Amino acid sequence: FVCRAQIPPSAKMSDPELEALRAQRLAQMQAGSAGGQREQQQQQEEQARAQEEMKNTMLASILDQGARARLNNIATVKPEKARMVEGMLLQMMQRGRVQGKITESQLREMLEQVSDQSQKKKSTIHFQRRALDSDSDDD
């Protein structure tokens, strides 16, 4: 049994009215989803800022002033190396391996370890050049 109710001609919307309503509803839906995306993006940025602030606070508590300055200088030149050292420092702190503040000389030793590790990972290519055959030039 299928019910097919007939809509009186006066109740039908004209095509332009229907299109206008559809466009308005679509705009509302898009605005709602864009607002949600903006809020989510703002929350993620806020979380990233909070994590960065917490990391900086923890590093400031375990590094003396000279070591902190050196780490900041390295971060401007080689950010990936600075991130590796910061990660090592935070792991050491979480595991309880840090007694007192880390000095600049101790930080230099850690930097050397990181440099050694990164150099081991790099591959080198050696080209073997063939010696020129000088017999043909003497003829």
Side-chain angles (χ1 to χ4, degrees), residues 11-32:
K12 288 185 180 178
M13 287 189 197
S14 66
D15 286 337
E17 290 176 6
L18 185 61
E19 287 300 317
L21 285 174
R22 285 182 182 161
Q24 183 181 12
R25 181 67 182 143
L26 181 64
Q28 288 174 350
M29 290 173 54
Q30 287 175 345

PDB file of all heavy atoms in Angstrom, residues 11-32:
ATOM      1  N   ALA A  11       0.374  25.102  -2.480  1.00  0.00           N
ATOM      2  CA  ALA A  11       1.356  24.787  -1.449  1.00  0.00           C
ATOM      3  C   ALA A  11       2.723  24.475  -2.029  1.00  0.00           C
ATOM      4  O   ALA A  11       3.697  24.420  -1.301  1.00  0.00           O
ATOM      5  CB  ALA A  11       0.872  23.623  -0.613  1.00  0.00           C
ATOM      6  N   LYS A  12       2.817  24.229  -3.329  1.00  0.00           N
ATOM      7  CA  LYS A  12       4.104  23.898  -3.938  1.00  0.00           C
ATOM      8  C   LYS A  12       4.986  25.141  -3.996  1.00  0.00           C
ATOM      9  O   LYS A  12       4.518  26.238  -4.276  1.00  0.00           O
ATOM     10  CB  LYS A  12       3.911  23.349  -5.346  1.00  0.00           C
ATOM     11  CG  LYS A  12       3.327  21.976  -5.381  1.00  0.00           C
ATOM     12  CD  LYS A  12       3.275  21.462  -6.802  1.00  0.00           C
ATOM     13  CE  LYS A  12       2.684  20.073  -6.842  1.00  0.00           C
ATOM     14  NZ  LYS A  12       2.582  19.572  -8.210  1.00  0.00           N
ATOM     15  N   MET A  13       6.289  24.921  -3.742  1.00  0.00           N
ATOM     16  CA  MET A  13       7.237  26.023  -3.829  1.00  0.00           C
ATOM     17  C   MET A  13       7.736  26.122  -5.258  1.00  0.00           C
ATOM     18  O   MET A  13       7.901  25.119  -5.931  1.00  0.00           O
ATOM     19  CB  MET A  13       8.448  25.784  -2.914  1.00  0.00           C
ATOM     20  CG  MET A  13       8.194  25.936  -1.482  1.00  0.00           C
ATOM     21  SD  MET A  13       9.760  25.873  -0.626  1.00  0.00           S
ATOM     22  CE  MET A  13       9.204  25.550   0.998  1.00  0.00           C
ATOM     23  N   SER A  14       7.998  27.316  -5.641  1.00  0.00           N
ATOM     24  CA  SER A  14       8.580  27.479  -6.961  1.00  0.00           C
ATOM     25  C   SER A  14      10.052  27.096  -6.897  1.00  0.00           C
ATOM     26  O   SER A  14      10.668  27.102  -5.832  1.00  0.00           O
ATOM     27  CB  SER A  14       8.411  28.919  -7.449  1.00  0.00           C
ATOM     28  OG  SER A  14       9.161  29.783  -6.626  1.00  0.00           O
ATOM     29  N   ASP A  15      10.623  26.755  -8.003  1.00  0.00           N
ATOM     30  CA  ASP A  15      12.025  26.321  -8.041  1.00  0.00           C
ATOM     31  C   ASP A  15      12.996  27.362  -7.483  1.00  0.00           C
ATOM     32  O   ASP A  15      13.888  27.010  -6.730  1.00  0.00           O
ATOM     33  CB  ASP A  15      12.414  25.933  -9.468  1.00  0.00           C
ATOM     34  CG  ASP A  15      11.816  24.595  -9.863  1.00  0.00           C
ATOM     35  OD1 ASP A  15      11.496  23.810  -8.955  1.00  0.00           O
ATOM     36  OD2 ASP A  15      11.694  24.342 -11.072  1.00  0.00           O
ATOM     37  N   PRO A  16      12.873  28.640  -7.781  1.00  0.00           N
ATOM     38  CA  PRO A  16      13.809  29.614  -7.210  1.00  0.00           C
ATOM     39  C   PRO A  16      13.731  29.686  -5.683  1.00  0.00           C
ATOM     40  O   PRO A  16      14.748  29.805  -5.012  1.00  0.00           O
ATOM     41  CB  PRO A  16      13.408  30.951  -7.842  1.00  0.00           C
ATOM     42  CG  PRO A  16      12.656  30.592  -9.078  1.00  0.00           C
ATOM     43  CD  PRO A  16      12.023  29.265  -8.797  1.00  0.00           C
ATOM     44  N   GLU A  17      12.524  29.560  -5.129  1.00  0.00           N
ATOM     45  CA  GLU A  17      12.386  29.590  -3.670  1.00  0.00           C
ATOM     46  C   GLU A  17      13.054  28.363  -3.047  1.00  0.00           C
ATOM     47  O   GLU A  17      13.742  28.469  -2.033  1.00  0.00           O
ATOM     48  CB  GLU A  17      10.903  29.620  -3.269  1.00  0.00           C
ATOM     49  CG  GLU A  17      10.189  30.900  -3.571  1.00  0.00           C
ATOM     50  CD  GLU A  17       8.710  30.825  -3.228  1.00  0.00           C
ATOM     51  OE1 GLU A  17       8.273  29.803  -2.654  1.00  0.00           O
ATOM     52  OE2 GLU A  17       7.993  31.781  -3.531  1.00  0.00           O
ATOM     53  N   LEU A  18      12.839  27.229  -3.649  1.00  0.00           N
ATOM     54  CA  LEU A  18      13.420  25.986  -3.154  1.00  0.00           C
ATOM     55  C   LEU A  18      14.946  26.041  -3.214  1.00  0.00           C
ATOM     56  O   LEU A  18      15.628  25.665  -2.258  1.00  0.00           O
ATOM     57  CB  LEU A  18      12.889  24.807  -3.972  1.00  0.00           C
ATOM     58  CG  LEU A  18      13.305  23.418  -3.525  1.00  0.00           C
ATOM     59  CD1 LEU A  18      12.824  23.150  -2.104  1.00  0.00           C
ATOM     60  CD2 LEU A  18      12.759  22.373  -4.467  1.00  0.00           C
ATOM     61  N   GLU A  19      15.470  26.530  -4.313  1.00  0.00           N
ATOM     62  CA  GLU A  19      16.931  26.660  -4.457  1.00  0.00           C
ATOM     63  C   GLU A  19      17.490  27.633  -3.429  1.00  0.00           C
ATOM     64  O   GLU A  19      18.556  27.409  -2.864  1.00  0.00           O
ATOM     65  CB  GLU A  19      17.294  27.109  -5.881  1.00  0.00           C
ATOM     66  CG  GLU A  19      17.112  26.040  -6.921  1.00  0.00           C
ATOM     67  CD  GLU A  19      17.961  24.799  -6.652  1.00  0.00           C
ATOM     68  OE1 GLU A  19      19.141  24.938  -6.278  1.00  0.00           O
ATOM     69  OE2 GLU A  19      17.427  23.689  -6.802  1.00  0.00           O
ATOM     70  N   ALA A  20      16.781  28.711  -3.165  1.00  0.00           N
ATOM     71  CA  ALA A  20      17.241  29.695  -2.184  1.00  0.00           C
ATOM     72  C   ALA A  20      17.292  29.074  -0.790  1.00  0.00           C
ATOM     73  O   ALA A  20      18.252  29.273  -0.034  1.00  0.00           O
ATOM     74  CB  ALA A  20      16.341  30.919  -2.201  1.00  0.00           C
ATOM     75  N   LEU A  21      16.259  28.309  -0.447  1.00  0.00           N
ATOM     76  CA  LEU A  21      16.233  27.651   0.857  1.00  0.00           C
ATOM     77  C   LEU A  21      17.357  26.613   0.975  1.00  0.00           C
ATOM     78  O   LEU A  21      18.009  26.492   2.017  1.00  0.00           O
ATOM     79  CB  LEU A  21      14.875  26.988   1.103  1.00  0.00           C
ATOM     80  CG  LEU A  21      13.726  27.929   1.442  1.00  0.00           C
ATOM     81  CD1 LEU A  21      12.419  27.163   1.504  1.00  0.00           C
ATOM     82  CD2 LEU A  21      13.997  28.616   2.767  1.00  0.00           C
ATOM     83  N   ARG A  22      17.553  25.841  -0.095  1.00  0.00           N
ATOM     84  CA  ARG A  22      18.634  24.853  -0.078  1.00  0.00           C
ATOM     85  C   ARG A  22      19.993  25.520   0.090  1.00  0.00           C
ATOM     86  O   ARG A  22      20.836  25.061   0.851  1.00  0.00           O
ATOM     87  CB  ARG A  22      18.615  24.032  -1.365  1.00  0.00           C
ATOM     88  CG  ARG A  22      17.522  23.006  -1.412  1.00  0.00           C
ATOM     89  CD  ARG A  22      17.586  22.191  -2.670  1.00  0.00           C
ATOM     90  NE  ARG A  22      16.504  21.228  -2.726  1.00  0.00           N
ATOM     91  CZ  ARG A  22      16.087  20.645  -3.815  1.00  0.00           C
ATOM     92  NH1 ARG A  22      16.655  20.922  -4.980  1.00  0.00           N
ATOM     93  NH2 ARG A  22      15.101  19.774  -3.773  1.00  0.00           N
ATOM     94  N   ALA A  23      20.213  26.608  -0.636  1.00  0.00           N
ATOM     95  CA  ALA A  23      21.481  27.322  -0.546  1.00  0.00           C
ATOM     96  C   ALA A  23      21.684  27.887   0.858  1.00  0.00           C
ATOM     97  O   ALA A  23      22.781  27.825   1.416  1.00  0.00           O
ATOM     98  CB  ALA A  23      21.533  28.437  -1.578  1.00  0.00           C
ATOM     99  N   GLN A  24      20.611  28.416   1.454  1.00  0.00           N
ATOM    100  CA  GLN A  24      20.708  28.971   2.798  1.00  0.00           C
ATOM    101  C   GLN A  24      21.033  27.869   3.810  1.00  0.00           C
ATOM    102  O   GLN A  24      21.897  28.036   4.673  1.00  0.00           O
ATOM    103  CB  GLN A  24      19.386  29.650   3.167  1.00  0.00           C
ATOM    104  CG  GLN A  24      19.391  30.329   4.519  1.00  0.00           C
ATOM    105  CD  GLN A  24      18.039  30.960   4.833  1.00  0.00           C
ATOM    106  OE1 GLN A  24      17.038  30.703   4.156  1.00  0.00           O
ATOM    107  NE2 GLN A  24      18.022  31.783   5.868  1.00  0.00           N
ATOM    108  N   ARG A  25      20.377  26.751   3.689  1.00  0.00           N
ATOM    109  CA  ARG A  25      20.621  25.629   4.607  1.00  0.00           C
ATOM    110  C   ARG A  25      22.036  25.089   4.442  1.00  0.00           C
ATOM    111  O   ARG A  25      22.717  24.782   5.423  1.00  0.00           O
ATOM    112  CB  ARG A  25      19.588  24.521   4.344  1.00  0.00           C
ATOM    113  CG  ARG A  25      19.723  23.339   5.234  1.00  0.00           C
ATOM    114  CD  ARG A  25      19.384  23.679   6.669  1.00  0.00           C
ATOM    115  NE  ARG A  25      19.571  22.504   7.485  1.00  0.00           N
ATOM    116  CZ  ARG A  25      20.042  22.522   8.713  1.00  0.00           C
ATOM    117  NH1 ARG A  25      20.321  23.656   9.286  1.00  0.00           N
ATOM    118  NH2 ARG A  25      20.198  21.411   9.372  1.00  0.00           N
ATOM    119  N   LEU A  26      22.509  24.984   3.212  1.00  0.00           N
ATOM    120  CA  LEU A  26      23.864  24.525   2.949  1.00  0.00           C
ATOM    121  C   LEU A  26      24.882  25.473   3.563  1.00  0.00           C
ATOM    122  O   LEU A  26      25.863  25.045   4.186  1.00  0.00           O
ATOM    123  CB  LEU A  26      24.094  24.395   1.442  1.00  0.00           C
ATOM    124  CG  LEU A  26      25.464  23.905   1.000  1.00  0.00           C
ATOM    125  CD1 LEU A  26      25.716  22.484   1.491  1.00  0.00           C
ATOM    126  CD2 LEU A  26      25.584  23.970  -0.511  1.00  0.00           C
ATOM    127  N   ALA A  27      24.637  26.764   3.438  1.00  0.00           N
ATOM    128  CA  ALA A  27      25.547  27.759   4.023  1.00  0.00           C
ATOM    129  C   ALA A  27      25.573  27.638   5.544  1.00  0.00           C
ATOM    130  O   ALA A  27      26.629  27.747   6.166  1.00  0.00           O
ATOM    131  CB  ALA A  27      25.117  29.161   3.607  1.00  0.00           C
ATOM    132  N   GLN A  28      24.403  27.404   6.149  1.00  0.00           N
ATOM    133  CA  GLN A  28      24.354  27.229   7.598  1.00  0.00           C
ATOM    134  C   GLN A  28      25.142  26.000   8.035  1.00  0.00           C
ATOM    135  O   GLN A  28      25.868  26.036   9.024  1.00  0.00           O
ATOM    136  CB  GLN A  28      22.905  27.096   8.068  1.00  0.00           C
ATOM    137  CG  GLN A  28      22.112  28.370   8.022  1.00  0.00           C
ATOM    138  CD  GLN A  28      20.639  28.142   8.368  1.00  0.00           C
ATOM    139  OE1 GLN A  28      20.178  27.008   8.462  1.00  0.00           O
ATOM    140  NE2 GLN A  28      19.903  29.245   8.537  1.00  0.00           N
ATOM    141  N   MET A  29      24.983  24.915   7.292  1.00  0.00           N
ATOM    142  CA  MET A  29      25.692  23.682   7.646  1.00  0.00           C
ATOM    143  C   MET A  29      27.201  23.864   7.502  1.00  0.00           C
ATOM    144  O   MET A  29      27.974  23.412   8.346  1.00  0.00           O
ATOM    145  CB  MET A  29      25.196  22.523   6.778  1.00  0.00           C
ATOM    146  CG  MET A  29      23.779  22.081   7.113  1.00  0.00           C
ATOM    147  SD  MET A  29      23.099  20.862   5.977  1.00  0.00           S
ATOM    148  CE  MET A  29      24.312  19.588   5.983  1.00  0.00           C
ATOM    149  N   GLN A  30      27.630  24.528   6.441  1.00  0.00           N
ATOM    150  CA  GLN A  30      29.057  24.749   6.236  1.00  0.00           C
ATOM    151  C   GLN A  30      29.630  25.677   7.295  1.00  0.00           C
ATOM    152  O   GLN A  30      30.731  25.472   7.780  1.00  0.00           O
ATOM    153  CB  GLN A  30      29.316  25.309   4.837  1.00  0.00           C
ATOM    154  CG  GLN A  30      29.141  24.285   3.744  1.00  0.00           C
ATOM    155  CD  GLN A  30      29.287  24.886   2.353  1.00  0.00           C
ATOM    156  OE1 GLN A  30      29.240  26.094   2.189  1.00  0.00           O
ATOM    157  NE2 GLN A  30      29.461  24.018   1.369  1.00  0.00           N
ATOM    158  N   ALA A  31      28.875  26.698   7.658  1.00  0.00           N
ATOM    159  CA  ALA A  31      29.340  27.622   8.692  1.00  0.00           C
ATOM    160  C   ALA A  31      29.468  26.898  10.033  1.00  0.00           C
ATOM    161  O   ALA A  31      30.410  27.129  10.789  1.00  0.00           O
ATOM    162  CB  ALA A  31      28.389  28.801   8.828  1.00  0.00           C
ATOM    163  N   GLY A  32      28.546  26.004  10.309  1.00  0.00           N
ATOM    164  CA  GLY A  32      28.601  25.236  11.556  1.00  0.00           C
ATOM    165  C   GLY A  32      29.795  24.313  11.597  1.00  0.00           C
ATOM    166  O   GLY A  32      30.493  24.205  12.607  1.00  0.00           O
TER     167      GLY A  32
END
